[in-house]
Every structure is written in C-alpha cells, then in structure tokens.
Coordinates of all heavy atoms in Angstrom, one line a residue:
M1 N -15.1 0.6 -15.7 CA -14.3 1.3 -14.7 C -12.8 1.1 -15.0 O -12.3 0.0 -15.0 CB -14.6 0.7 -13.4 CG -13.8 1.3 -12.3 SD -14.3 0.8 -10.7 CE -13.1 1.7 -9.6
G2 N -12.1 2.2 -15.3 CA -10.7 2.1 -15.6 C -10.4 1.6 -16.9 O -9.2 1.4 -17.2
S3 N -11.3 1.3 -17.7 CA -11.1 0.7 -19.0 C -10.1 1.5 -19.9 O -9.3 0.9 -20.7 CB -12.4 0.5 -19.8 OG -13.1 1.7 -19.9
P4 N -10.1 2.8 -19.8 CA -9.1 3.6 -20.7 C -7.7 3.2 -20.4 O -6.8 3.4 -21.3 CB -9.4 5.0 -20.4 CG -10.8 5.0 -19.8 CD -10.9 3.7 -19.1
F5 N -7.4 2.7 -19.3 CA -6.0 2.5 -18.9 C -5.5 1.1 -19.4 O -4.3 0.8 -19.3 CB -5.8 2.6 -17.4 CG -6.1 4.0 -16.9 CD1 -7.3 4.3 -16.3 CD2 -5.1 5.0 -17.1 CE1 -7.5 5.6 -15.8 CE2 -5.4 6.3 -16.7 CZ -6.6 6.6 -16.0
I6 N -6.4 0.2 -19.8 CA -6.0 -1.1 -20.1 C -5.2 -1.1 -21.4 O -4.2 -1.7 -21.5 CB -7.3 -2.0 -20.3 CG1 -7.9 -2.2 -18.9 CG2 -6.9 -3.3 -20.9 CD1 -9.2 -3.0 -19.0
A7 N -5.7 -0.3 -22.4 CA -5.0 -0.3 -23.7 C -4.0 0.8 -23.7 O -4.0 1.8 -24.4 CB -6.0 -0.1 -24.8
R8 N -3.0 0.7 -22.8 CA -2.0 1.7 -22.7 C -1.0 1.5 -23.9 O -0.5 0.4 -24.1 CB -1.3 1.5 -21.4 CG 0.0 2.4 -21.3 CD 0.6 2.2 -19.9 NE 0.3 3.3 -19.1 CZ 0.7 3.5 -17.8 NH1 1.4 2.5 -17.3 NH2 0.4 4.5 -17.1
P9 N -0.7 2.6 -24.6 CA 0.2 2.5 -25.7 C 1.6 2.2 -25.3 O 2.0 2.6 -24.2 CB 0.1 3.9 -26.4 CG -0.5 4.8 -25.3 CD -1.3 3.9 -24.4
L10 N 2.3 1.4 -26.1 CA 3.7 1.1 -25.8 C 4.6 2.3 -25.6 O 5.5 2.3 -24.8 CB 4.2 0.1 -26.9 CG 3.6 -1.2 -26.9 CD1 4.1 -2.1 -28.1 CD2 3.8 -2.0 -25.6
L11 N 4.3 3.3 -26.4 CA 5.1 4.5 -26.4 C 5.1 5.1 -25.0 O 6.1 5.7 -24.5 CB 4.7 5.5 -27.4 CG 5.1 5.2 -28.9 CD1 4.5 6.2 -29.8 CD2 6.6 5.1 -29.0
Q12 N 4.0 5.0 -24.3 CA 3.9 5.6 -23.0 C 4.8 4.9 -22.0 O 5.4 5.6 -21.2 CB 2.4 5.6 -22.5 CG 2.2 6.4 -21.3 CD 0.8 6.6 -21.0 OE1 -0.1 6.2 -21.7 NE2 0.4 7.1 -19.8
S13 N 4.9 3.6 -22.2 CA 5.8 2.9 -21.3 C 7.3 3.3 -21.6 O 8.1 3.4 -20.7 CB 5.7 1.4 -21.5 OG 4.3 1.0 -21.5
A14 N 7.6 3.6 -22.8 CA 8.9 3.9 -23.2 C 9.4 5.2 -22.6 O 10.6 5.4 -22.3 CB 9.0 3.9 -24.7
I15 N 8.5 6.1 -22.4 CA 8.9 7.4 -21.9 C 8.7 7.4 -20.4 O 8.8 8.5 -19.7 CB 8.1 8.6 -22.5 CG1 6.6 8.3 -22.3 CG2 8.4 8.7 -24.0 CD1 5.7 9.4 -22.9
Q16 N 8.4 6.3 -19.8 CA 8.4 6.2 -18.3 C 9.2 5.0 -17.9 O 8.8 4.0 -17.3 CB 6.9 5.9 -17.9 CG 6.0 7.1 -18.1 CD 4.6 6.9 -17.6 OE1 4.2 5.8 -17.5 NE2 3.9 8.0 -17.2
P17 N 10.5 5.1 -18.1 CA 11.5 4.0 -17.8 C 11.5 3.7 -16.3 O 11.8 2.6 -15.9 CB 12.8 4.6 -18.2 CG 12.7 6.0 -18.3 CD 11.2 6.3 -18.6
A18 N 11.1 4.6 -15.5 CA 11.1 4.4 -14.0 C 10.2 3.3 -13.6 O 10.4 2.6 -12.6 CB 10.8 5.7 -13.3
L19 N 9.1 3.2 -14.4 CA 8.1 2.2 -14.1 C 8.5 0.8 -14.6 O 8.1 -0.2 -14.1 CB 6.8 2.6 -14.7 CG 6.0 3.7 -14.0 CD1 4.7 4.0 -14.8 CD2 5.6 3.2 -12.6
V20 N 9.4 0.8 -15.6 CA 9.6 -0.5 -16.2 C 11.0 -1.0 -16.0 O 11.2 -2.2 -15.7 CB 9.5 -0.3 -17.8 CG1 9.7 -1.6 -18.5 CG2 8.1 0.2 -18.1
S21 N 12.0 -0.2 -15.9 CA 13.4 -0.6 -15.9 C 13.8 -1.4 -14.7 O 14.3 -2.5 -14.8 CB 14.4 0.6 -16.0 OG 14.1 1.2 -17.2
P22 N 13.5 -1.0 -13.4 CA 14.0 -1.7 -12.3 C 13.1 -2.9 -12.0 O 12.7 -3.1 -10.8 CB 13.9 -0.7 -11.2 CG 12.7 0.2 -11.6 CD 12.7 0.2 -13.1
S23 N 12.9 -3.7 -13.0 CA 12.0 -4.9 -12.8 C 12.5 -5.9 -11.8 O 11.7 -6.5 -11.0 CB 11.7 -5.5 -14.2 OG 13.0 -5.9 -14.7
L24 N 13.8 -6.1 -11.8 CA 14.4 -7.0 -10.9 C 14.1 -6.6 -9.4 O 13.8 -7.4 -8.5 CB 15.9 -7.2 -11.1 CG 16.2 -7.9 -12.4 CD1 17.7 -7.9 -12.6 CD2 15.7 -9.3 -12.4
T25 N 14.2 -5.4 -9.2 CA 14.0 -4.9 -7.8 C 12.5 -5.0 -7.5 O 12.1 -5.3 -6.3 CB 14.4 -3.4 -7.7 OG1 15.6 -3.2 -8.5 CG2 14.7 -3.0 -6.3
L26 N 11.7 -4.7 -8.4 CA 10.2 -4.7 -8.2 C 9.7 -6.1 -7.9 O 8.9 -6.3 -7.0 CB 9.5 -4.1 -9.4 CG 9.6 -2.6 -9.6 CD1 8.9 -2.2 -10.9 CD2 9.0 -1.9 -8.5
M27 N 10.3 -7.0 -8.5 CA 9.8 -8.4 -8.4 C 9.9 -9.0 -7.0 O 9.3 -9.9 -6.6 CB 10.4 -9.3 -9.4 CG 9.9 -9.1 -10.8 SD 10.7 -10.1 -12.0 CE 10.0 -9.5 -13.5
R28 N 10.8 -8.4 -6.2 CA 11.1 -8.9 -4.9 C 9.8 -8.7 -4.0 O 9.6 -9.5 -3.1 CB 12.3 -8.3 -4.3 CG 13.6 -8.7 -5.0 CD 14.8 -8.1 -4.3 NE 16.0 -8.5 -5.0 CZ 17.2 -8.1 -4.6 NH1 17.3 -7.3 -3.6 NH2 18.2 -8.5 -5.3
T29 N 9.1 -7.6 -4.3 CA 8.0 -7.3 -3.4 C 6.7 -7.6 -4.2 O 5.6 -7.4 -3.7 CB 8.0 -5.9 -3.0 OG1 8.1 -5.0 -4.2 CG2 9.2 -5.6 -2.1
M30 N 6.8 -8.1 -5.4 CA 5.7 -8.2 -6.2 C 5.0 -9.6 -6.1 O 5.7 -10.6 -5.9 CB 6.2 -8.1 -7.7 CG 5.1 -7.7 -8.6 SD 5.8 -7.5 -10.3 CE 6.2 -5.7 -10.2
K31 N 3.7 -9.6 -6.1 CA 3.0 -10.9 -6.0 C 2.9 -11.5 -7.4 O 2.7 -10.8 -8.3 CB 1.6 -10.6 -5.4 CG 1.7 -10.3 -3.9 CD 0.3 -10.2 -3.3 CE 0.3 -9.9 -1.9 NZ -1.0 -9.8 -1.3
V32 N 3.0 -12.8 -7.4 CA 2.9 -13.4 -8.7 C 1.6 -14.2 -8.7 O 1.3 -15.1 -7.8 CB 4.1 -14.4 -8.9 CG1 3.9 -15.1 -10.3 CG2 5.4 -13.7 -8.8
R33 N 0.7 -13.9 -9.6 CA -0.6 -14.5 -9.6 C -0.9 -15.0 -11.0 O -0.4 -14.5 -12.0 CB -1.6 -13.4 -9.2 CG -1.4 -12.9 -7.8 CD -2.4 -11.9 -7.4 NE -2.4 -11.7 -6.0 CZ -3.3 -10.9 -5.4 NH1 -4.3 -10.4 -6.0 NH2 -3.2 -10.7 -4.1
A34 N -1.9 -15.9 -11.1 CA -2.4 -16.3 -12.4 C -3.1 -15.2 -13.1 O -3.1 -15.1 -14.3 CB -3.3 -17.5 -12.2
S35 N -3.7 -14.4 -12.3 CA -4.4 -13.2 -12.9 C -4.2 -12.0 -12.0 O -4.1 -12.1 -10.8 CB -5.9 -13.5 -13.0 OG -6.5 -13.6 -11.8
V36 N -4.0 -10.9 -12.7 CA -3.8 -9.6 -11.9 C -5.0 -8.7 -12.1 O -5.7 -8.8 -13.1 CB -2.5 -9.0 -12.3 CG1 -1.3 -9.9 -12.0 CG2 -2.5 -8.6 -13.8
K37 N -5.1 -7.8 -11.2 CA -6.2 -6.8 -11.4 C -5.8 -5.5 -10.6 O -5.0 -5.5 -9.7 CB -7.5 -7.4 -10.8 CG -7.5 -7.7 -9.3 CD -8.8 -8.3 -8.9 CE -8.7 -8.6 -7.4 NZ -9.9 -9.2 -6.9
K38 N -6.4 -4.5 -11.1 CA -6.2 -3.2 -10.4 C -7.0 -3.1 -9.2 O -8.1 -3.5 -9.1 CB -6.5 -2.1 -11.4 CG -5.6 -2.0 -12.6 CD -5.8 -0.8 -13.5 CE -7.1 -1.1 -14.3 NZ -7.2 0.0 -15.3
I39 N -6.3 -2.6 -8.1 CA -7.0 -2.6 -6.8 C -7.5 -1.2 -6.5 O -8.6 -1.1 -5.9 CB -6.0 -3.1 -5.7 CG1 -5.5 -4.5 -6.0 CG2 -6.6 -3.0 -4.3 CD1 -4.4 -5.0 -5.1
C40 N -6.8 -0.2 -6.8 CA -7.2 1.2 -6.5 C -7.0 2.1 -7.8 O -6.5 1.6 -8.8 CB -6.5 1.7 -5.3 SG -4.7 2.1 -5.6
D41 N -7.3 3.3 -7.6 CA -7.1 4.3 -8.7 C -5.7 4.5 -9.1 O -5.4 4.9 -10.2 CB -7.8 5.6 -8.4 CG -9.3 5.5 -8.3 OD1 -9.8 4.6 -8.8 OD2 -9.9 6.4 -7.6
G42 N -4.8 4.2 -8.2 CA -3.4 4.4 -8.5 C -2.8 3.2 -9.3 O -1.7 3.3 -9.8
C43 N -3.5 2.1 -9.4 CA -3.0 1.0 -10.1 C -3.1 1.1 -11.6 O -4.1 1.7 -12.1 CB -3.8 -0.3 -9.6 SG -3.6 -0.7 -7.9
S44 N -2.1 0.6 -12.3 CA -2.2 0.6 -13.7 C -1.5 -0.7 -14.2 O -0.6 -1.2 -13.7 CB -1.5 1.9 -14.3 OG -0.2 1.9 -13.9
T45 N -2.1 -1.2 -15.3 CA -1.5 -2.4 -15.9 C -0.5 -2.1 -17.0 O -0.6 -1.2 -17.7 CB -2.7 -3.2 -16.5 OG1 -3.3 -2.5 -17.5 CG2 -3.7 -3.6 -15.5
V46 N 0.6 -2.9 -17.0 CA 1.6 -2.8 -17.9 C 1.9 -4.1 -18.5 O 2.1 -5.1 -17.8 CB 2.9 -2.2 -17.3 CG1 4.0 -2.0 -18.3 CG2 2.6 -0.9 -16.6
K47 N 2.0 -4.2 -19.8 CA 2.3 -5.5 -20.5 C 3.8 -5.5 -20.9 O 4.2 -4.6 -21.6 CB 1.4 -5.7 -21.7 CG 0.0 -5.9 -21.3 CD -0.9 -6.3 -22.5 CE -2.3 -6.5 -22.1 NZ -3.2 -6.8 -23.3
R48 N 4.5 -6.5 -20.5 CA 5.9 -6.7 -20.9 C 6.2 -8.1 -21.2 O 5.9 -9.0 -20.4 CB 6.8 -6.2 -19.7 CG 6.8 -4.7 -19.4 CD 7.8 -4.4 -18.4 NE 9.1 -4.6 -19.0 CZ 10.2 -5.1 -18.2 NH1 10.0 -5.3 -17.0 NH2 11.3 -5.2 -18.8
R49 N 6.8 -8.3 -22.3 CA 7.2 -9.7 -22.7 C 6.1 -10.7 -22.6 O 6.3 -11.8 -22.1 CB 8.4 -10.1 -21.8 CG 9.6 -9.2 -21.8 CD 10.7 -9.6 -20.9 NE 11.7 -8.7 -20.8 CZ 12.8 -8.8 -20.0 NH1 12.8 -9.8 -19.2 NH2 13.7 -7.9 -19.9
G50 N 4.9 -10.3 -22.9 CA 3.8 -11.2 -22.9 C 3.2 -11.4 -21.5 O 2.2 -12.2 -21.4
K51 N 3.7 -10.7 -20.5 CA 3.2 -10.8 -19.2 C 2.5 -9.5 -18.8 O 3.0 -8.5 -19.2 CB 4.3 -11.2 -18.2 CG 4.8 -12.6 -18.4 CD 5.8 -13.0 -17.4 CE 6.3 -14.4 -17.6 NZ 7.4 -14.8 -16.6
V52 N 1.6 -9.6 -17.9 CA 0.9 -8.4 -17.4 C 1.3 -8.1 -16.0 O 1.3 -8.9 -15.1 CB -0.6 -8.7 -17.5 CG1 -1.3 -7.4 -17.1 CG2 -1.1 -9.1 -18.9
F53 N 1.7 -6.8 -15.9 CA 2.1 -6.4 -14.5 C 1.1 -5.3 -14.1 O 0.5 -4.6 -14.9 CB 3.5 -5.7 -14.6 CG 4.6 -6.6 -15.0 CD1 4.8 -7.0 -16.3 CD2 5.4 -7.1 -14.0 CE1 5.8 -7.9 -16.6 CE2 6.5 -8.0 -14.3 CZ 6.7 -8.4 -15.7
V54 N 1.0 -5.2 -12.8 CA 0.2 -4.1 -12.2 C 1.2 -3.3 -11.3 O 1.8 -3.8 -10.5 CB -1.0 -4.6 -11.4 CG1 -1.6 -3.4 -10.6 CG2 -2.0 -5.3 -12.3
V55 N 1.2 -2.0 -11.6 CA 2.0 -1.1 -10.8 C 1.1 -0.1 -10.2 O 0.1 0.2 -10.7 CB 3.2 -0.4 -11.6 CG1 4.1 -1.4 -12.1 CG2 2.6 0.4 -12.7
C56 N 1.5 0.4 -9.0 CA 0.6 1.3 -8.3 C 1.4 2.4 -7.7 O 2.5 2.3 -7.2 CB -0.1 0.6 -7.1 SG -1.3 1.6 -6.3
S57 N 0.9 3.6 -7.9 CA 1.6 4.8 -7.4 C 1.1 5.2 -6.0 O 1.7 6.0 -5.4 CB 1.3 6.0 -8.4 OG -0.1 6.2 -8.5
K58 N 0.1 4.5 -5.6 CA -0.4 4.9 -4.2 C 0.0 3.8 -3.2 O 0.2 4.2 -2.0 CB -1.9 5.0 -4.3 CG -2.4 6.2 -5.1 CD -3.9 6.3 -5.1 CE -4.4 7.5 -5.9 NZ -5.8 7.6 -5.8
N59 N 0.0 2.6 -3.6 CA 0.3 1.5 -2.6 C 1.2 0.5 -3.2 O 0.8 -0.2 -4.2 CB -1.0 0.9 -2.1 CG -0.8 0.0 -0.9 OD1 0.3 -0.6 -0.7 ND2 -1.8 -0.2 -0.1
K60 N 2.4 0.3 -2.7 CA 3.4 -0.6 -3.3 C 2.9 -2.0 -3.2 O 3.4 -2.9 -3.9 CB 4.7 -0.4 -2.6 CG 5.4 1.0 -2.9 CD 6.7 1.1 -2.3 CE 7.3 2.5 -2.6 NZ 8.6 2.6 -1.9
K61 N 2.1 -2.3 -2.2 CA 1.6 -3.7 -2.1 C 0.7 -4.1 -3.2 O 0.4 -5.3 -3.4 CB 0.9 -3.8 -0.7 CG 1.8 -3.7 0.5 CD 1.0 -3.8 1.7 CE 1.9 -3.7 3.0 NZ 1.1 -3.8 4.2
H62 N 0.3 -3.2 -4.0 CA -0.6 -3.5 -5.1 C 0.1 -4.0 -6.3 O -0.5 -4.5 -7.3 CB -1.4 -2.2 -5.5 CG -2.4 -1.8 -4.5 ND1 -3.2 -0.7 -4.6 CD2 -2.8 -2.4 -3.3 CE1 -4.0 -0.6 -3.5 NE2 -3.7 -1.6 -2.7
K63 N 1.5 -3.9 -6.3 CA 2.2 -4.4 -7.4 C 2.0 -5.9 -7.6 O 2.2 -6.7 -6.6 CB 3.7 -4.1 -7.3 CG 4.0 -2.6 -7.5 CD 5.4 -2.3 -7.5 CE 6.0 -2.5 -6.2 NZ 7.4 -2.0 -6.1
Q64 N 1.7 -6.3 -8.8 CA 1.5 -7.7 -9.1 C 2.2 -8.1 -10.4 O 2.4 -7.3 -11.2 CB 0.0 -8.0 -9.2 CG -0.8 -7.7 -7.9 CD -2.2 -7.5 -8.3 OE1 -2.9 -8.3 -8.8 NE2 -2.7 -6.2 -8.1
R65 N 2.4 -9.4 -10.5 CA 2.9 -9.9 -11.8 C 2.1 -11.1 -12.2 O 1.9 -12.0 -11.4 CB 4.4 -10.3 -11.7 CG 5.0 -10.8 -13.0 CD 6.5 -10.9 -12.9 NE 7.0 -11.8 -11.9 CZ 7.2 -13.1 -12.2 NH1 7.0 -13.6 -13.4 NH2 7.7 -13.9 -11.3
Q66 N 1.8 -11.2 -13.4 CA 1.0 -12.4 -13.9 C 2.0 -13.4 -14.4 O 3.0 -13.2 -15.0 CB 0.1 -12.0 -15.0 CG -0.8 -13.1 -15.5 CD -1.7 -12.7 -16.6 OE1 -1.3 -12.1 -17.6 NE2 -3.0 -12.9 -16.5
G67 N 1.7 -14.7 -14.1 CA 2.5 -15.8 -14.6 C 3.3 -16.4 -13.4 O 4.4 -16.4 -13.3
Ligands
LIG1 ZN1 -3.2 0.5 -6.1

C-alpha cells in the first residue's frame, strides 16, 4: 500500500520547492518522532539530509519529522 511513493526520486523534490523550502515554518507544527508513517492518501514521505519527513496535502496535522 503506497509503496510506489516511498522511492520518490530526488528530482521530483527539486521541482516541488514549495514542499521542501519552508522547512523552518513547517517544523513548528510538525511532530518529531522516532519513526514516521503515512496516515492518509494525501501523505507522502520526503527524505532530506538523512531524515525522513512526511508531508500531507490533505491534513496538515499529518506532517511529521523523523529524528
Ligand atoms: Zn495525510
């Protein structure tokens, strides 16, 4: 379930700066967990700097950060 989204190519992140750039703003509402997981179909995982993030287009509360 949702496995195709795990191996998201880096190039795709590069052409979606809106998801990646405002990281400082996102982290204020983001939960920090030892492990992150996708909660709904709008959730997608993003790997940055060796950490895994979950961003969601449907529910902002789904945003998570690993570490
Ligand atoms: Zn979600």
